[in-house]
Each structure stands twice: as C-alpha cells, then as structure tokens.
Amino acid sequence: MTDSLSKPPPTGLAPKRRPYGLRFISGKYTGGEFNMLPGNEIVVGRANDLQMVLVEDMVSRRHARIFWEGEQIQIEDLGSTNGTFVNGEKIKRAPLKEGDRILIGTNILKVITLDTPATPTQNNLESVAARRSGAQAQTTTRTMSGSIEEIPLPDLLQLLHTSKKNGVLVIRSEEDVGRIYFRKGQIYHCTINDLEDLLALKGLFRLLTWVKGIFDLEPPDETKFPNEIDVSVPELLMEGLRQIDEFNAIKDQLPDLRAQIAIPNLLFPALRELSPEQLDVLQLAHNYGTFGAVLNKSLAMDLDTAQILLTLLKKKYLVVNA
C-alpha cells in the first residue's frame, strides 16, 4: 500500500524559473538592467533592430546572443570582430550563472537575480547612456568605467588582458589614485599617487588589495617608462595574490604604517650577523623613520621588506617608538 503522506499532492503547476537579468557594471550603460525572460533570446549588437543595441565601435552589428536552453542560460558569440568574454575567457558558446561577468566591447554585464521580473527596454539603456554622457561631458574621454566593488580588480585586469585592451586604468579610492598602464592587454607600468620611488611591480601588488573605489579606462599614455614590467598578467595575478595572502598572515605583528621605528641607542646585536638585505632595511629605517616610508623606499617587495623588518624587531636591531 502506498503511503499518501510520502509525497505532496500534484499541483499542476510547473516550478517557476528565477527571474534573471543582466546588469551593466561598466561602460556607457552602467546602471542599466535587462530582464532575461524565459523562452526569449537577446541578440546583442550595434544593429538598431536587435533586442539589446550597444552603440560603440568595438561592438559588431550582431555580436552575441543570450538565450535559454531548457533551464540553463547560454551565451553564444556570433562571429564578432572583437570577441565575447565570460569571466575573462574568450568564448564561442558558454553557459551562464548568477555572478558571471560578460565583456562585450567596453561593456561589462553581470548576471544577477532580479527581485521582481521587470522588463527594461532599449529606451531604458539609452536614457542611462544619455545621463552618463551628460555627467561626463566635461571630462576626458573614457572607454570603460565602474566600481571595483562590482568587479574586483583581479577580475578586471584579467578581462582587460584577454580582450587585449590599450589604455591607462585609473583606480580612485577615497584617499589614493592608482594607475595601471596597458598595451595590447599587457601591463607594463603602475603607479600609486605618482610616487616616483615606488617600484611599478610593488605598486601593482598593493593595488590588488584595494576593494573599494571607482575605475576608468582612459586613453593610452605615450610616456616612456624605464624598466617596464615584463611578466604576463596571469603570472602577475598569481604571484601578487600569493604575496598578499602571506603579508596578511603577518599583518597583525607589524607596526602601523605611520609608526616611528629606530635603531636603539645601545645596539647590542652585532651588525656583522645581518645579511645585505637586512642591512638595507636597517639603513632605510634609520634614514626615514617610519614603517610606511621603509616599505616605499625599499627595493624589495612589501612582503620581503615586512618579513625582514619583523626579524630586525624581534632581534632588537630596531624598536618601535611610542
């Protein structure tokens, strides 16, 4: 005999699909949203008879289509000139899920779950673009902008790399300004607050720790820089994130960046026991007097400098002044 309580009675209703949408998180349409209606497809391109019209040179007339296949959302490139990218990878066709980021031209779209299944129209995108255009009318021409809270910097760098972008990525936090220079998708220079003593690679690794701020991809800068970075973006990201993890593991043991550090009046340990790298950090502490200045002036990466400083503090070669 079947237990009638073992399963709920049939309702005759099919399960409802979650209302998914696309939110523009970078580009001229930032802030616009587009609903992905079940059973419908969205063809994206420059042609004015499409469901999503993106008016810019880097978008092909028929660039990509986004559609439902059963319960799965798919995206397919339609042979576009500049390609379609999902999470930094160039695709011909790929499934989409919530949180995925799509790069089409200079527009970054994020797959989101909508609270209500609203149906934004092309006019909605045009009004968003018009507002942004008016707000930026007096500023330098920009091809891409957004928030690093919406698209974390490592993801953004990967997108710019795989899409072979040229230009200067300017990141502005409340207090600082960083600049990352791209040539055909490769990073070749980086600055923070235009500090001349800060090594480009060190600056880049510091920028990877930023989680709040706005970014703009500005036109290429023809300035010639000595000692350009010559490491691939994937390698830079891998090494940078590794160093950040290791730095964070010792961060609680380090003094504040503004803390005064000095050589004690009576130095008992013998200097001959120090390595050349340790002597360099000791000299920097003597010359500049704060932990932040030592990090900036050191020719070593922040992680290496911090590890050496910790050793010097523990062995009493340096002290932190209250």
Side-chain angles (χ1 to χ4, degrees):
M1 186 171 71
T2 303
D3 185 355
S4 61
L5 298 178
S6 61
K7 49 187 176 181
T11 63
L13 297 176
K16 291 184 178 179
R17 283 179 174 147
R18 300 173 70 186
Y20 286 109
L22 297 169
R23 174 181 294 150
F24 286 78
I25 61 174
S26 175
K28 66 189 289 187
Y29 304 102
T30 297
E33 292 183 356
F34 217 97
N35 190 33
M36 299 169 64
L37 295 172
N40 288 7
E41 75 170 16
I42 300 171
V43 179
V44 185
R46 242 183 25 251
N48 59 16
D49 59 343
L50 303 181
Q51 290 84 2
M52 185 187 293
V53 181
L54 304 181
V55 184
E56 64 167 82
D57 292 341
M58 292 188 67
V59 176
S60 297
R61 287 184 58 78
R62 289 175 56 85
H63 196 108
R65 72 181 184 111
I66 303 168
F67 59 98
W68 288 89
E69 189 172 75
E71 296 297 314
Q72 177 67 65
I73 303 169
Q74 301 277 339
I75 183 169
E76 179 183 23
D77 184 79
L78 299 177
S80 65
T81 301
N82 293 300
T84 301
F85 300 82
V86 175
N87 299 329
E89 297 293 329
K90 191 173 185 178
I91 60 97
K92 291 185 177 179
R93 176 170 167 162
L96 293 174
K97 63 183 185 301
E98 184 178 2
D100 282 348
R101 296 177 179 89
I102 305 162
L103 177 66
I104 296 176
T106 63
N107 303 280
I108 302 175
L109 301 88
K110 183 178 181 180
V111 181
I112 61 169
T113 299
L114 297 174
D115 294 330
T116 56
T119 312
T121 64
Q122 184 62 38
N123 289 334
N124 169 269
L125 295 185
E126 290 169 355
S127 64
V128 168
R131 287 197 303 272
R132 288 181 58 79
S133 177
Q136 296 178 355
Q138 305 301 318
T139 65
T140 304
T141 301
R142 298 163 180 163
T143 58
M144 183 183 290
S145 60
S147 163
I148 59 173
E149 291 178 87
E150 281 277 15
I151 175 166
L153 196 52
D155 295 350
L156 180 58
L157 298 185
Q158 184 66 31
L159 279 172
L160 296 177
H161 166 63
T162 53
S163 54
K164 298 184 176 359
K165 290 288 190 288
N166 295 304
V168 182
L169 182 67
V170 182
I171 307 104
R172 296 176 175 87
S173 69
E174 291 184 357
E175 300 178 351
D176 303 295
V177 178
R179 289 179 171 84
I180 303 175
Y181 295 74
F182 280 86
R183 183 188 298 125
K184 295 182 179 178
Q186 295 298 325
I187 294 171
Y188 67 93
H189 191 63
C190 178
T191 66
I192 296 178
N193 297 335
D194 295 323
L195 292 174
E196 294 182 358
D197 293 333
L198 186 64
L199 296 176
L201 196 57
K202 187 187 295 188
L204 178 63
F205 289 174
R206 286 188 189 179
L207 282 176
L208 291 177
T209 67
W210 291 16
V211 294
K212 291 185 178 181
I214 59 173
F215 69 84
D216 296 288
L217 183 63
E218 298 186 348
D221 188 320
E222 301 303 325
T223 304
K224 302 296 183 183
F225 299 103
N227 305 316
E228 290 187 356
I229 297 173
D230 189 22
V231 182
S232 73
V233 171
E235 290 177 293
L236 287 173
L237 292 176
M238 187 178 301
E239 177 61 18
L241 295 175
R242 180 194 70 80
Q243 290 200 21
I244 290 167
D245 285 344
E246 293 191 23
F247 188 94
N248 287 337
I250 62 172
K251 190 174 182 179
D252 291 343
Q253 305 172 52
L254 295 169
D256 184 83
L257 291 175
R258 295 180 293 274
Q260 296 289 323
I261 53 178
I263 299 173
N265 292 330
L266 296 174
L267 183 61
F268 292 107
L271 292 178
R272 65 176 177 271
E273 295 178 3
L274 297 179
S275 68
E277 293 78 13
Q278 291 171 327
L279 285 170
D280 287 344
V281 172
L282 189 71
Q283 186 66 53
L284 290 173
H286 176 68
N287 291 347
Y288 299 103
T290 67
F291 178 41
V294 170
L295 285 179
N296 287 340
K297 299 290 184 179
S298 175
L299 296 179
M301 292 294 103
D302 285 345
L303 173 63
D304 298 328
T305 304
Q307 290 172 333
I308 290 172
L309 186 80
L310 272 183
T311 299
L312 295 176
L313 288 170
K314 289 176 181 178
K315 292 186 175 182
K316 308 301 182 183
Y317 286 96
L318 288 172
V319 294
V320 178
N321 292 330

